[in-house]
Amino acid sequence: MELYFLGTNAGVPTIQRNVTSIALRLLEERRSMWLFDCGEGTQQEVLRSPLKLSRLEKIFITHLHGDHLFGLPGLLSSRAYQGGTAPLTVYGPPGLQQYIELSLGISQSRINYQLHIVEHTGGVLFDDGQFRVESALLDHRIDSYGYRIVEMDKPGKLNQELLERYGIKPGPVYGKLKRGESVEVEGGVILNPQDVLGSPKKGRIVTILGDTRPCPNTVVLARDATVVVHEATFLHDLADTAYEYHHSTALQAAEAAKAAGAGQLIMTHFSSRYKDQEQLQPLLEEARSLFPNSLLAEQHVLLPVPDIGQ
């Protein structure tokens, strides 16, 4: 699992940074990509990245402000040109379907793949036994949602030395044991999964929050998260401005991560007043004063989601 930031600016694009879009790459798990928000210019940023729209499986929109949404019609209509023919599901707040259908309809854009639009008001949105996605309402000028992606625990490693004693080599039997099935080996011996599997590998949790003031649901969604991605539009000396515009400061992002017991905080959605990475350093210092394992999102920089225990 890897996070790749296609845009980290708030409100409008700048020369240095595009507006919000975050890719979550699911590599070993399913060889696919999920996108969170799709600000103007996202498809151009994808072209400059190692990402492939043909592997795009789901898009999650946090809210319907333009800096999180204006890139969606273009990306949807262009996806097929990059080999994207598999079904695609877009999740977001009420109004999303009207926006997509109207913009694609008026422009007479043709989609040659199955496009599913799921409007929601929070709750469990998806669960396939491998991943579960939950959502909850945040505190912004319009309805804005955060997403909690939970990777299910994986079976522990097989004891290959023990299996070799029974003459079992890598193959179908390994798969059965990992799926929790008992197998019969030579001599009529029954091997149960618990006899040959180590402790389960704890699944990771990634929380990606939309624009928000500090509110209880930021902590609920980020509880025990491996990584939480939180907006940090301003330094805390502009806390009054942040409150007025329904945003958060770097210190408030750190407070949420600490209260949630998260492992790592990645901050994004920076005000244009902070021109470059050097001018963003005070936000990082502010967050680290309370939550040391804080990072600044940087466009076109890949950030692996660490395994539990790393």
Side-chain angles (χ1 to χ4, degrees):
M1 294 174 71
E2 299 171 335
L3 286 164
Y4 192 96
F5 289 82
L6 293 159
T8 62
N9 211 58
V12 295
T14 67
I15 294 174
Q16 294 82 11
R17 299 190 298 264
N18 197 38
V19 284
T20 300
S21 185
I22 304 166
L24 177 63
R25 298 172 78 189
L26 308 170
L27 299 176
E28 293 180 7
E29 290 79 4
R30 57 207 300 149
R31 303 296 296 175
S32 65
M33 175 179 76
W34 293 357
L35 201 63
F36 293 81
D37 284 333
C38 190
E40 177 185 352
T42 293
Q43 64 173 316
Q44 286 95 333
E45 299 303 327
V46 170
L47 293 172
R48 299 184 184 101
S49 79
L51 306 176
K52 297 182 182 298
L53 286 182
S54 59
R55 291 187 174 167
L56 180 59
E57 183 182 63
K58 297 181 182 296
I59 301 175
F60 298 88
I61 300 297
T62 61
H63 63 293
L64 303 185
H65 275 156
D67 58 328
H68 297 254
L69 185 69
F70 282 165
L72 189 55
L75 183 140
L76 291 176
S77 61
S78 297
R79 177 175 179 256
Y81 292 99
Q82 295 191 34
T85 57
L88 174 66
T89 305
V90 185
Y91 301 82
L96 177 66
Q97 182 163 347
Q98 181 185 9
Y99 173 76
I100 292 175
E101 291 179 349
L102 196 61
S103 55
L104 294 181
I106 288 176
S107 61
Q108 298 187 26
S109 299
R110 299 180 65 183
I111 303 293
N112 65 346
Y113 54 85
Q114 291 183 5
L115 177 62
H116 306 286
I117 303 169
V118 178
E119 295 186 339
H120 70 84
T121 54
V124 177
L125 306 180
F126 173 78
D127 189 337
D128 67 352
Q130 190 176 31
F131 288 94
R132 183 176 70 252
V133 180
E134 306 166 10
S135 182
L137 184 66
L138 304 175
D139 182 1
H140 194 47
R141 288 189 292 127
I142 62 173
D143 285 355
S144 177
Y145 290 86
Y147 294 99
R148 177 180 173 92
I149 305 96
V150 179
E151 179 188 37
M152 304 306 180
D153 293 349
K154 297 179 181 179
K157 289 187 176 180
L158 287 167
N159 186 332
Q160 291 188 329
E161 185 179 339
L162 179 59
L163 290 171
E164 286 174 2
R165 291 183 205 161
Y166 287 102
I168 303 173
K169 296 182 179 180
V173 174
Y174 275 38
K176 288 183 178 180
L177 289 166
K178 281 215 163 192
R179 289 193 298 270
E181 302 174 25
S182 298
V183 298
E184 184 175 345
V185 298
E186 190 176 339
V189 175
I190 301 296
L191 278 182
N192 297 309
Q194 60 267 28
D195 300 328
V196 294
L197 283 172
S199 300
K201 182 182 178 183
K202 188 73 175 170
R204 292 159 288 185
I205 300 172
V206 177
T207 298
I208 298 176
L209 302 172
D211 292 3
T212 187
R213 288 172 176 167
C215 69
N217 274 345
T218 61
V219 177
V220 171
L221 289 168
R223 180 70 64 195
D224 299 324
T226 314
V227 174
V228 56
V229 179
H230 196 302
E231 69 131 291
T233 309
F234 301 106
L235 279 165
H236 203 67
D237 61 0
L238 292 173
D240 289 344
T241 302
Y243 185 85
E244 180 183 355
Y245 289 98
H246 292 77
H247 287 298
S248 296
T249 67
L251 184 62
Q252 288 166 341
E255 288 171 345
K258 183 175 181 179
Q264 185 181 68
L265 168 66
I266 302 176
M267 294 178 289
T268 188
H269 198 267
F270 308 118
S271 168
S272 299
R273 71 183 59 215
Y274 312 114
K275 302 296 184 186
D276 51 33
Q277 289 299 114
E278 183 178 348
Q279 291 189 16
L280 289 173
Q281 288 306 304
L283 283 86
L284 182 61
E285 293 166 9
E286 184 173 275
R288 285 181 172 175
S289 70
L290 181 65
F291 191 82
N293 197 13
S294 297
L295 297 173
L296 295 171
E298 191 171 350
Q299 217 163 278
H300 295 295
V301 172
L302 193 67
L303 294 174
V305 177
D307 286 328
I308 302 296
Q310 284 189 350

